[in-house]
Structure formats: C-alpha cells, structure tokens
Amino acid sequence: MRNSGAVLILIFIVKLISQAAGVSAPGKPKLTSCRSPEKETFTCWWEPGEDGGLPTTYALYYHLENSETVYECPDYKTAGNNSCFFNKNDTSLWVNYNITVVATNALGKNISEPVEVDVAYIVQPNTPENVTAVVVDEDQGPFVRVSWEKPRTADTRSGWITLLYQLRVKQQKDKEWEEYNAGMQKYYNVFSLHPDTEFMVQVRCKPDHGFWSEWTQTTYIKMPDYIPRQRSLWIIITIFSVFIVLILTWTLNVKRNSVKLCLLPPVPGPKIKGFDKQLLKSGKTEEVFNSLVIQGFPPTIDYDDLLVEYLEVYDNEEQELVLDGKDLSEDCIKSKSPSDCDSGRGSCDSRTLLLEKCMVGRKGSGSDQHQYSQHGETSWASTESSECQGLEPGSPESSDGRVKTWPVVFSSPQPHHHYQAETVKPVYHSVPEILNHSSPHIMPTNYHHLHHQDIPQQEGRHGKPACRHSQSYNHFNLDGLNTPAPGVSPSRSLEYVEVQRVNPENMLLLRPLSDPNREPEGSDYAGEDYSKVKEVTSNNILLLRRDTSHHCVDDYSQASQCTTQQPPHPCKPVIYQSNSGMPQEGMRVMGNGYVDSTVLMPSY
Amino acid sequence: FGLSLPAVAVLLVALLCLDPHGRVGSAPICAHGPSGCHIPSLADLFDRVIQHSARMHSLSNDLHSEFEQYFLPSKNHIGKIYRKCHTSNILTPNGKDNAQKLAREELTEVILKLLMAWRDPLFQLHQSMAHQQDFNSFSSNKALEMGDMAHELRKGVEKVAEKMRVLGMLGNSVTGLSAAEAMLPLSDSGEAMSDYELLYCFRRDSNKVQNYLKILKCRIVPEHDC
C-alpha cells in the first residue's frame, strides 16, 4: 500500500519535472500508406508525431483478421526510414492486415490508429523499363514506334499480375500531354506527329485492379523533316471531282434547253399597250404612235387654283392708283366679294381696313400727310378721309379697333392684264404698310413712304387698279409714336418694309425695315419675312426667294414651276412690278440680299 | 376410299409422330468437323472465361463501394463488423507460390468450389436487395446480374475442365466437380450474413477466381498474353 503510493507520487513528480523540462511523451504516429509492387510483398510507411524532445522508437505491430496473434514488423530497414517491409513469407493475399504503429520514448508511448489492409488491393507496380522510341519511315510518312518493357518485379508470365500500359507524348513547348492507351501490349505506333520537331515520351502501367505506376523518365525523339505525301487523298479527290464533272455534264446535256434559256435569254418583244407590231411593220409610224398618246398628259394644273390664298390683284386700266374720291371705295367694293373674307382678296375686302386706316392716319402727325400732299398725294389723305367717311357707316368690322393691315397691291401691268382675264385670280401683292398700333410687337415708328415721286408717274403710265396703293404710300403713324421717318425726305426716298406677320384675319402687319429702334427680337421677324432676290427676269420681274425657309419664289407668269412644289415650300409670288424707270431704284437691294420690294407674306 | 386431302395430311403427320425413327433430334452445328465451323480453342475458351470473371469482379467491386459509400461511412466501423466469410473453410492459396504449387486439377477444383458456394448466397443477396427500399433498382439489378454471371462462369469453367480432360491435360483425379456442394452462407454463430458482409466476401472471392483462372491459363496455354 505504501509502496504503490510512493510509486504514484514518484511518477507524478517525474511528470512534473519532465514538463518543466519541456519533454513529454511522443506524439501519435500515423500510417501513411502501404503498397505492393508485385502482389507478393508489400511495404508500409508511417509518419512520426512529435517526439516529445526525447529519443523515440517506433514499432509496427499487426495481426491478421480473425486472429489475435500480434506480430511485429519483420523488416524495418529494407524500405528505409519509418517503414516496414513484408517479405513473401509474411505476405498473405486476400487477408486483412490490421496494422498499428507504436511510438515509444522514455516518458511514454503512443499508438497510431489501426489500418486495415488487404494486399490484393494495394498493388502499385514499378514503372515500365527501357522505353525506346524510333522513327519508322513508311510510304504514308514517318511515324514513331515506342516500345518498352514490363517492370522487372511484376510477374506477368505466370499470369499472376496483368498490366495495362499507357503512354503520353508532347512537344517541348506544349502544355498538355497527349495520352494513348496501349492495353497489354508493349509497343505503340504514334502517327501524325509534326515534322522536324522534338517530342517527349513517357510510359506507365497499372494492374487490372490497382494503382497507376509513376511515369517513366522522358524519352526524346526527333521527327525528321518530311513532306506529307498524301497521295491517296489526292487520288480520291481527283476521282470525286471527275465524277462530279461527269454528272454535271450529263445534267447539262439533259437540260440543254433550259440552260440555253438561262444563259441566253430571249430578247423580249415590245410590250407596249396599244402598240401594234403589225402596224409598225407596215411602216405607218404616225398611226402607230398615235395610239401611244395618252390623253391628258402632261397634266395641266390649274395653278391659279393653288394660289387662292393670295390676294387678288385686279389689273384695271381705268383704275387709278391714287384713291381718288370715292372711286376707291367703289372699286374696292366692286372688286371684292362680300362673302370672301379668306380669299386673300382682302385688299378689297377692306371697308374696315380703310376705315382703320383713316382713323390711324388721322391720328398721325399732320406733317407726313402734308408730305404726301406735297407729292401730289393729297388725294391720299383726302381719299382716305373720304374713304373712311365712306366706309365708316358701314364697317362693322372696325369695331374692335384693331389695326388691320392695309394691303397695298400693285403689280406689273402685264401680268395683271393676264390675270385680269380670268375671273378668279389668286393674287399676291406686297403689303407695304404696317400698322398695328395695338400690337406690342410692332415697334417701328417710322413712316415709310416709298417712291413717292414715282407714284404719280406710275399712275400715269400704268393705271393702277383701285385698291392699290403705291408702295410708298404707307404712311401711317403708329399710335402715339411720332418719330419722323428716317430717310424720309421730300426727295425720293425709299423705305423698306418688312412684313412682320400676318394676323389671323389675313392681314399683313408691316414694319419698316430700317427702323433703328427696332428691337433685336424684331430681327426674328425680319428673318421670316424678308425674301432674297433670286433673279430678275426679262420682264423686270423679281424672283424673290424666301430666305429662311428656302421657298422658291417665282414670278407669277412662271407660277407653274413653283406651285407644283411641295406645300412646305410654297411659292411666294413676286409682287414687284417695275418699269423701266424704276428697276434700279426699285430694286434697291440691301446688303443682305433683301429687296425693298414689298412682299406678300402669306401666313402659313 | 372417300378420304379428303386434309384427312390424308393428318394421317401422314400422325404416322411421322408415331414413328420412332422419325423423332427429331438436334444435330450439332459443327457436325462436319473443324472445317465446317469454328470450334473455339482452349485458349479462346480460357479467354472468354477470364473476361467473364473480370466482368463479374468489377460488378462486385462496384456494388461493394456503393455500399461502403452510402451505408457505412465510417471505415473503422467496417473493419469491426465483418465476420468470417462462409467460404473461408475452402482452402485457397493465398499467394503466388502457393497457387503455383497447386496442381491444375486442384486449382480447377478450387475455382469450381468457390463458384458453387456462391450460387445460393448471390440469389439471396439479390432477393434481399430487391426488397429493401434503400437500394435503387440499379443496384439490385447489378446483384441479379452478378448472380447470373457467377452461374454462367461456373458453367464455363466446367466446360473448360471438360475440354482439358478431353485433351488429356487433366487427370482423372478431379473429383471436386461432382462433389461440390452448395453451402449456406452461415457464419459461426449461425446467423445469416448481412448484405454488406456478403458483398465484402464475394468481392474477395471473385478476385480469387479471376486470379486462379489466369494462372491456370498461363500454365496450360501460355502462348499469348502471358
């Protein structure tokens, strides 16, 4: 009792001391693998654990299945460190070995986990031997024949072990190997290798149930430079193509007619409706071509109808430009159709307009009017007044007090004659005046009179129709604005007018072009309303072109060209009339190509 | 006479059937000797048999690993539960030298004994696998196929032995052929073995059979593949 107690205490003290000294029992070893190279012997390897700081010995113990007899490893040396080699006598197949490794040192021992091993299933042969590769030259081209021998230890002769072989080939630069299975044979022919390159070859083997061996050392083989003569391939290709050619020829022969039709199509005969071949042959060309004439071509369009929006101009010889007395009103009345408010014949539809003008005119300074009168335009004012008076009672439309534009119409006599001939004429005319004293947009305060002097001449010569004012006679003062017209001089002076806009009632709102007070925004308007001179025809007719929208402007006599254009590009009829005395001045072109003519701006 | 044609035909047929000499017998296909058809040589027979046994062994290997993978995850657990195989009392060579020391007749006998011992257990194995829900039909089909293969292999080896005896390679001391009895797969304690144990044992025994056949072949017909 005392002894055992003393022993225990001693052990305890030793342990404490050893722990203080840093030594301990060994760590647990571990069996890593067991392998048999030929199914007759086998070897097991283990991995030692920590040795605990003290010299440790390892021992392997095993026992067979269903037997309790424990044996120790017969051979620790042959297979190297930490291994156990079982020789033939100690190896039994189809029997389970239960193997453990024990590590022992001064302080204790440690036992590994047991491992069950059946030798029949742990076979891993050695590598094949004597791998040789030779280049064999054949008709089809050279190939490589790789041959080898079985590993020395494996006994395949007695059939105890059956080995399957595998080889792999690659070029030096390739990443991937190309593998071939050779089965049980000990040679292999590798075809289709690249010429003039060096190849690497390796071989390995495996038993029918077991593990693959390691790859052999690399064997190098160099393929010679050769040109692949694939004769057989060419022969096949030739035969095939000949065959195809024969077939094609035969097919073409059979389908002779349709091929001819395809390659040389017949020239089609004439297929004109109404065309009589016989008649042509007989030589009566007149009759032949008569039948081709299509009635109604080219289509004649009534251009006049397209210009309905324009104001009508009446070229009435008897009518004076200057509104004398009451003629104007009468003429105006005459010329207008009472119910036609939208026809653009607003110039004559202008009782109210006249009225307005009268009103406005009266408001203006008297000086201008005097000026007019100086030019012999006294009738203007008087006309106006008369007009106004005449109109006043019967102008319901003036009630709103809005200023309406007074379209002044004039045009060259000839075209007007022409148009006079037809009753309903779309008309365009320039609207020189701008008067819209109620409109905020209207800035200009100028008066403008154009061609004061010329008017009477013109009148004398051309006999302006009624309802026409000379272009220069827009002389209305804006409400409250009494600035003198710049450039207005007793002598001939020209003012340029731009049509500012057309209000919904088909009235043109004009504005003098050279207005220095014009606001910048007016330039926008200017841009819309000005038209560039396109050309001047022989009749002293200006062809204007709308600047911004690239409208084509054509003179009236050539209306056909323009009117056939698309609606977005309407023609703006030229209104300018000029005679020999006028043209140069009348066509005073401004710097930017604008003409001082009055241009009708239809409001689209 | 008054007999119609059908009646006459019937009579003729009846006569033929009754005639003892009119019995139809099966004539061998190769009645005209070796030139008439190709009689497989012993080497060919051996090859066929060995291929058959290889196939059988791979089937058993597959089933065993399937079992191990799905039903018995712990390796240590496996090692501890298996019992002695019912064929362990058949003395089989457990090494190359031992196998080579055995005479051909004994070797053949061992093979046949092994195959015979597994006839009924394989059938039982298939039955129990088919009834259990755990196995999929694939596995139970494999078990069935395995059993059939073992049966055919036995027949094949018997034929080979017959051929060898005809050729004079086998002595007359082969008594095991007739004396091989079916053995019940009972362990020591008398209990029936579990499916896993059966698979484990059969995998080993099929490996033995394949190996023995190869040795036998290379001993008897060593021309090729040896």
Side-chain angles (χ1 to χ4, degrees), chain A residues 39-40 65-66 88 92-94 96 113-114 116 118 120-121 155-160 162 184 208-209, chain B residues 57 76 79 82 84 93-97 99-100 200 203-204 207-208 210-212 214-215 218 225-226:
Chain A
K39 217 149 91 172
E40 294 168 45
E65 67 182 53
N66 300 325
K88 274 190 194 180
S92 304
L93 255 61
W94 301 298
N96 266 2
E113 296 287 329
E116 296 267 345
D118 189 336
Y121 301 121
D155 184 8
T156 55
R157 268 211 65 88
S158 63
W160 183 240
T162 312
M184 283 175 11
D208 41 7
H209 308 284
Chain B
H57 175 67
N76 289 339
Y82 83 91
K84 222 169 171 179
N94 58 2
K96 183 176 96 171
D97 298 333
Q100 281 179 332
Y200 179 85
R203 175 180 171 233
R204 180 187 285 179
N207 199 359
K208 279 187 192 173
Q210 187 182 7
N211 241 131
Y212 297 153
K214 279 184 187 170
I215 290 177
C218 282
D225 290 349
C226 285

Side-chain angles (χ1 to χ4, degrees), chain B residues 140-200:
Chain B
S140 70
N141 282 347
K142 272 192 195 165
L144 181 64
E145 194 182 350
M146 212 161 62
D148 288 342
M149 285 185 115
H151 181 73
E152 283 170 28
L153 187 61
R154 186 166 59 83
K155 288 276 190 281
V157 173
E158 279 172 5
K159 281 205 173 60
V160 167
E162 184 69 33
K163 180 108 184 150
M164 283 200 294
R165 204 177 299 122
V166 163
L167 291 173
M169 293 172 181
L170 280 184
N172 288 332
S173 61
V174 185
T175 55
L177 288 173
S178 51
E181 67 253 13
M183 297 167 66
L184 287 173
L186 294 177
S187 64
D188 292 339
S189 56
E191 296 166 8
M193 293 175 76
S194 70
D195 288 342
Y196 176 74
E197 284 164 349
L198 281 173
L199 278 173
Y200 179 85

